[in-house]
Amino acid sequence: MIQLKNLFLCLGLLFCQISLNAQAKSTQPSISVAYLGQVFIQPGVKVSSHFNLKTWPAESEQVKKVKHLFISPQLGYYAWPGNNFNLLANVEIGYQRQKTGRNSFSSLSLGLGYLNTFQITSIVYDQSDGSIDRINRKRKAFFLPTINYEFGKSINNRLSWYNKYALGLKLSAAEERTMLIFFELGLRFNINQE
Amino acid sequence: MTRKNFIKNLITLGAATPLMTSLFTSCNRSGFDFFEDFEVNFNGNVLIIGAGAAGLIAGHILNRYNIDFQILEASSVFGGRVKKIEDFSDFPIDLGAEWIHTEPSILGKLLNDPQTDLKTDAIVYNPQTIHLWKNNKLKKRNIFSSFYSEHKFKNSTWYDFFDQYIVPGISDKIVYNSPVTEIDYNSNKVKVQSQDGEIREADKVILTVPLTILQNNFINFLPALPSEKTEALNQVSMPDGIKVFIEFSERFYPDILLFGNIIEALRDESKIFYDAAFQKDSDRNILGLFNVGDSAAAYTSLNTEQEIIDKIIGELDEIFDGKASQTYQKHIIQNWSKEPFISGSYSHYDDYDALETLAQSINDKIYFAGEAYSSDSQATVHGAGETAYKVTEQILKG
Ligand SMILES: Cc1cc2nc3c(=O)[nH]c(=O)nc-3n(C[C@H](O)[C@H](O)[C@H](O)COP(=O)(O)OP(=O)(O)OC[C@H]3O[C@@H](n4cnc5c(N)ncnc54)[C@H](O)[C@@H]3O)c2cc1C
């Protein structure tokens, strides 16, 4: 498990380095804001940036497909009210296909996240009025590798919507691994677009 | 746990969590509305039959309104299906009801006392390791930890709640070792006869005995119960129930172990092994077995406790490669099917019309309270308590 931890740390640093480089070079950076739901129903928000590392232009007039290799650093928050709340720092590297004619796009990516869970262990209730006196929490940290599929459509040059599904594995040395399922519905703003 | 509540939790979780208001608090801080005060138009006396959750809460309310009442309890203790053992481990263990199947502030609501000093430390019971034994293989199903969560007591029990906050005010009104065998409601006053032959009279009777007591005709009604009631009684079951706690020198088990098909196991929730020390700040390895329903008969029908524990250890050995017998230390068994005045677990309805029929009072003299009559929290302690509020209000309003 310690070897795995080191591997994830190295990968994380590598992803951060690539993100920073991409940020400096990228011609079409974008920023997204999304509703994030763990198993759809544990609600949250996610803010992501998106940088193209490489772009393959459309091959011909008939096939109007543009392909991108992209990197996307992200920050997320989601909560299970009364149970836990979670902070997520995540980086995804992926491959996107854009149908320029139809203004739609889809992408497949792999992510590596660092998840902090603030788990409520117990709640002290004052039974004279039912109010909560104290909430006891415990913080737990996990690595979260994910596989993600996303599709979306441009609304105009600057704005598009997207819907993303992710399968993740919550990993830590202290606990058994657990699968997580994320749903995301968001808006993406292209920053340098005319 | 009860199967209905497990499912209800999944559903309410689905419906309730997207509320963005609670997004940043992660906790509901609001309190509750007390049961409302009402005008009392009753000055007779009441006999409560049974000192379980419903009977005790009914007594607590009548006491508050200075009504003359007595509680007749068949056994030598109060609590009924609420029972604890203090010295088995380094935390008290509920041998009956254990989970709080609703917001823990329900305790304050049942107490209905704005002056109370009661503070309840409630564990958020969200097991992380959920395993399934299926086709002779142990499978991890931890993904379900994202769906299921409820509450348990941290340092106390359901029994402690009654023992410390309900019973002290009414202890002199409880008559123990007084099984009621006959209820005669022919005349104006209801005559209640106990097994020792003593007859007491009351204007109203609140009957809180388990369904099995009525189904087995332990109590003779004069005149007989209306036919729609007896028909409804035939449509309800109160199957077998058992709880067993075992101490091991090592922990080899997950937070929860389910059997068979995962969806069915979650829905029926009839048999689970669970880490009873979960979040209890305990150094001990205590595994609980909770088994309610037809499958519980495999244990409850055995003749001796030794046979029961041998069967359980044998099963655990098969699942965990012999670790159970290697690390076994001691156990305690609570066979609810063999408790003389309980004889089962809790009510299971296929037809909820039967519940409404059973909950109706007879001739405004005999009122029914208890878990079996709760329309939305049946098979729970708080459900039993809520029915006590309902019938006492009916009686006192006149
Ligand atoms: C194994 C098990 C686990 C459970 N787990 C939970 C849980 O986690 N959470 C939860 O909320 N609920 C749980 N429950 C259900 C809960 O315990 C019951 O719903 C609740 O305690 C029932 O209260 P009651 O007052 O209706 O009946 P009881 O508690 O059964 O009280 C009835 C009383 O009547 C007495 N009596 C019987 N016959 C006579 C007679 N003829 N004359 C006089 N007295 C008589 C009995 O001795 C008893 O004291 C569980 C139940 C079982 C069996």
Side-chain angles (χ1 to χ4, degrees):
Chain A
M1 199 64 203
I2 293 188
Q3 280 169 346
L4 199 62
K5 193 173 170 183
N6 290 339
L7 174 71
F8 281 137
L9 274 175
C10 292
L11 274 176
L13 287 171
L14 182 71
F15 276 23
C16 288
Q17 179 65 37
I18 299 174
S19 304
L20 288 174
N21 281 347
Q23 205 169 342
K25 286 186 203 155
S26 180
T27 49
Q28 276 190 315
S30 58
I31 286 189
S32 331
V33 178
Y35 167 84
L36 172 71
Q38 205 282 109
V39 289
F40 299 92
I41 51 178
Q42 292 171 15
V45 283
K46 196 181 206 185
V47 180
S48 326
S49 49
H50 193 103
F51 306 102
N52 289 334
L53 298 170
K54 190 171 158 73
T55 298
W56 293 269
E59 281 163 11
S60 68
E61 276 296 304
Q62 287 98 340
V63 188
K64 291 183 174 170
K65 277 184 192 158
V66 182
K67 297 165 190 173
H68 305 284
L69 182 68
F70 68 87
I71 188 156
S72 168
Q74 313 168 343
L75 286 177
Y77 168 92
Y78 66 91
W80 179 353
N83 191 305
N84 61 39
F85 71 87
N86 302 269
L87 297 175
L88 172 67
N90 191 41
V91 181
E92 282 168 18
I93 289 190
Y95 171 77
Q96 185 183 68
R97 279 161 33 136
Q98 202 178 339
K99 287 184 184 162
T100 49
R102 285 201 221 150
N103 291 332
S104 64
F105 56 88
S106 63
S107 70
L108 205 59
S109 61
L110 293 176
L112 182 60
Y114 184 67
L115 178 73
N116 267 286
T117 296
F118 297 83
Q119 179 77 39
I120 299 179
T121 52
S122 79
I123 304 174
V124 180
Y125 291 82
D126 178 345
Q127 299 290 6
S128 67
D129 61 2
S131 61
I132 290 173
D133 242 27
R134 200 174 67 242
I135 299 177
N136 299 314
R137 287 197 174 88
K138 196 160 126 188
R139 187 182 78 90
K140 295 181 195 171
F142 302 92
F143 284 110
L144 184 72
T146 53
I147 178 159
N148 315 280
Y149 173 74
E150 171 195 285
F151 62 88
K153 209 163 176 145
S154 304
I155 298 167
N156 57 38
N157 269 356
R158 274 192 171 277
L159 194 64
S160 49
W161 65 261
Y162 72 96
N163 184 196
K164 184 150 125 187
Y165 296 85
L167 265 186
L169 263 190
K170 213 166 78 165
L171 303 174
S172 98
E175 285 186 27
E176 264 180 25
R177 62 175 185 268
T178 302
M179 191 186 279
L180 299 180
I181 302 169
F182 293 97
F183 164 88
E184 224 177 296
L185 187 62
L187 286 175
R188 183 164 294 150
F189 308 91
N190 293 332
I191 295 172
N192 290 345
Q193 202 64 253
E194 289 297 293
Chain B
M1 261 182 277
T2 67
R3 57 184 181 153
K4 230 179 78 181
N5 279 285
F6 208 111
I7 293 303
K8 215 158 63 181
N9 266 299
L10 294 184
I11 295 163
T12 43
L13 173 72
T17 44
L19 296 175
M20 297 301 275
T21 43
S22 32
L23 192 60
F24 292 94
T25 56
S26 275
C27 219
N28 172 16
R29 285 188 169 270
S30 63
F32 53 74
D33 295 325
F34 283 109
F35 287 102
E36 273 172 33
D37 274 340
F38 47 83
E39 200 183 324
V40 177
N41 296 312
F42 174 79
N43 59 4
N45 74 324
V46 180
L47 271 177
I48 299 167
I49 302 173
L56 293 172
I57 295 283
H60 175 71
I61 308 161
L62 294 178
N63 196 40
R64 177 79 51 82
Y65 285 98
N66 289 321
I67 303 292
D68 178 16
F69 76 97
Q70 254 189 339
I71 304 179
L72 302 181
E73 167 56 44
S75 72
S76 58
V77 290
F78 65 81
R81 282 168 273 175
V82 167
K83 186 176 179 183
K84 77 160 176 179
I85 178 161
E86 190 70 50
D87 55 4
F88 184 78
S89 184
D90 53 356
F91 59 93
I93 290 179
D94 280 297
L95 295 171
E98 183 171 352
W99 281 263
I100 306 169
H101 289 308
T102 182
E103 277 296 306
S105 56
I106 189 70
L107 276 81
K109 192 168 179 185
L110 290 175
L111 202 53
N112 218 23
D113 176 9
Q115 308 304 324
T116 184
D117 61 355
L118 172 60
K119 306 244 167 159
T120 310
D121 196 354
I123 288 169
V124 173
Y125 182 73
N126 175 216
Q128 298 294 303
T129 50
I130 301 178
H131 293 186
L132 183 74
W133 178 250
K134 191 180 178 188
N135 300 333
N136 290 331
K137 281 198 189 109
L138 196 58
K139 299 171 182 180
K140 290 179 181 163
R141 293 290 181 268
N142 297 342
I143 189 171
F144 285 92
S145 64
S146 294
F147 294 95
Y148 167 60
S149 174
E150 42 186 339
H151 296 95
K152 270 173 99 168
F153 293 89
K154 189 171 175 88
N155 307 312
S156 66
T157 59
W158 267 119
Y159 182 90
D160 292 322
F161 167 66
F162 287 98
D163 187 31
Q164 291 163 19
Y165 288 90
I166 302 288
V167 172
I170 57 172
S171 57
D172 56 333
K173 304 281 174 75
I174 307 174
V175 184
Y176 293 102
N177 303 310
S178 236
V180 168
T181 50
E182 190 167 280
I183 299 177
D184 178 349
Y185 59 104
N186 272 312
S187 44
N188 229 357
K189 289 249 179 193
V190 187
K191 294 190 186 101
V192 174
Q193 184 171 343
S194 307
Q195 208 161 37
D196 60 7
E198 188 169 345
I199 296 174
R200 293 174 176 84
E201 286 192 342
D203 295 293
K204 310 273 179 190
V205 164
I206 302 177
L207 193 58
T208 74
V209 300
L211 281 179
T212 43
I213 301 295
L214 299 178
Q215 287 169 330
N216 300 341
N217 296 318
F218 186 90
I219 301 175
N220 183 35
F221 288 88
L222 296 172
L225 284 177
S227 58
E228 63 269 21
K229 283 246 186 220
T230 44
E231 276 161 28
L233 271 176
N234 290 333
Q235 287 166 37
V236 200
S237 66
M238 190 166 131
D240 284 307
I242 190 167
K243 280 181 87 176
V244 179
F245 294 89
I246 314 169
E247 177 163 14
F248 295 100
S249 55
E250 253 177 49
R251 179 166 172 185
F252 54 84
Y253 43 83
D255 293 341
I256 280 206
L257 173 66
L258 301 159
F259 293 84
N261 175 297
I262 184 84
I263 301 297
E264 279 172 20
L266 290 174
R267 191 191 60 217
D268 298 340
E269 215 207 22
S270 58
K271 176 175 171 181
I272 57 167
F273 282 100
Y274 61 100
D275 174 17
F278 185 84
Q279 303 284 23
K280 293 266 189 189
D281 289 343
S282 167
D283 299 327
R284 313 272 282 270
N285 304 308
I286 312 287
L287 180 69
L289 164 67
F290 166 99
N291 198 175
V292 158
D294 295 339
S295 63
Y299 307 106
T300 57
S301 62
L302 295 174
N303 290 326
T304 63
E305 292 214 342
Q306 193 56 47
E307 284 177 66
I308 296 177
I309 193 66
D310 286 349
K311 182 171 167 56
I312 293 170
I313 296 289
E315 278 175 22
L316 291 171
D317 271 348
E318 193 189 341
I319 299 169
F320 297 106
D321 301 327
K323 295 232 178 63
S325 51
Q326 284 159 25
T327 58
Y328 167 84
Q329 298 201 312
K330 61 175 178 170
H331 72 269
I332 171 118
I333 295 175
Q334 175 63 48
N335 188 344
W336 286 103
S337 303
K338 294 232 167 117
E339 279 290 324
F341 299 107
I342 305 289
S343 303
S345 54
Y346 40 71
S347 56
H348 285 58
Y349 285 89
D350 289 328
D351 171 8
Y352 280 86
D353 289 344
L355 187 150
E356 274 176 31
T357 308
L358 287 175
Q360 276 159 21
S361 62
I362 306 178
N363 297 356
D364 290 334
K365 286 182 196 161
I366 303 176
Y367 294 78
F368 295 85
E371 60 86 9
Y373 311 105
S374 167
S375 43
D376 53 359
S377 302
Q378 167 231 333
T380 66
V381 178
H382 72 274
E386 283 165 351
T387 61
Y389 269 93
K390 204 167 157 186
V391 299
T392 43
E393 186 175 335
Q394 276 172 30
I395 292 173
L396 298 187
K397 274 184 172 173

